[in-house]
């Protein structure tokens, strides 16, 4: 089974996957990267009104084959109040 590496970045911290995961194919690696994004957001929020969470997949040769990001943008509207 191929090994895929899923690197993450939450605007503050880049984490390079140095162990990898045995996954059946690139689609399974894509799904794992996408699944990581909401978990990253839950762990970091609330922490400001603008954040981007990124995950990328590298194959066994180190080539990035997939990238995904999740962006949070919050803005106060008329009548709202800042904390």
């Amino acid at each position: 089974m191929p090994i895929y590496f899923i690197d993450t970045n939450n605007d503050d911290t880049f984490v390079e996957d140095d162990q990898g995961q045995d996954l059946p194919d690139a689609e399974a690696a894509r799904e794992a990267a996408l699944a990581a994004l909401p978990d990253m957001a839950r762990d970091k929020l609330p922490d400001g009104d603008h954040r981007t969470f990124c995950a990328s997949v590298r194959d066994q040769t180190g080539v990035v084959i997939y990238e995904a990001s999740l962006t949070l943008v919050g803005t106060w509207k008329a009548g709202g109040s800042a904390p």
Side-chain angles (χ1 to χ4, degrees), residues 18-47:
D18 59 357
Q19 295 181 0
Q21 300 177 45
D22 289 325
L23 297 167
D25 55 27
E27 177 60 24
R30 179 185 87 70
E31 291 171 8
L34 290 172
L37 294 173
D39 292 337
M40 293 169 59
R42 265 190 295 281
D43 289 346
K44 197 66 175 174
L45 296 175
D47 185 15

Side-chain angles (χ1 to χ4, degrees), residues 17 21 28 35 42 50 58-59 70 72 74 77-80 83:
D17 180 357
Q21 300 177 45
R42 265 190 295 281
H50 189 273
R58 289 181 288 121
D59 66 11
L70 176 68
L72 165 79
K77 298 297 182 179

Side-chain angles (χ1 to χ4, degrees), residues 39-73:
D39 292 337
M40 293 169 59
R42 265 190 295 281
D43 289 346
K44 197 66 175 174
L45 296 175
D47 185 15
D49 286 328
H50 189 273
R51 276 237 178 250
T52 300
F53 304 93
C54 301
S56 61
V57 176
R58 289 181 288 121
D59 66 11
Q60 294 180 63
T61 66
V63 173
V64 174
I65 61 167
Y66 183 79
E67 293 179 322
S69 64
L70 176 68
T71 301
L72 165 79
V73 177

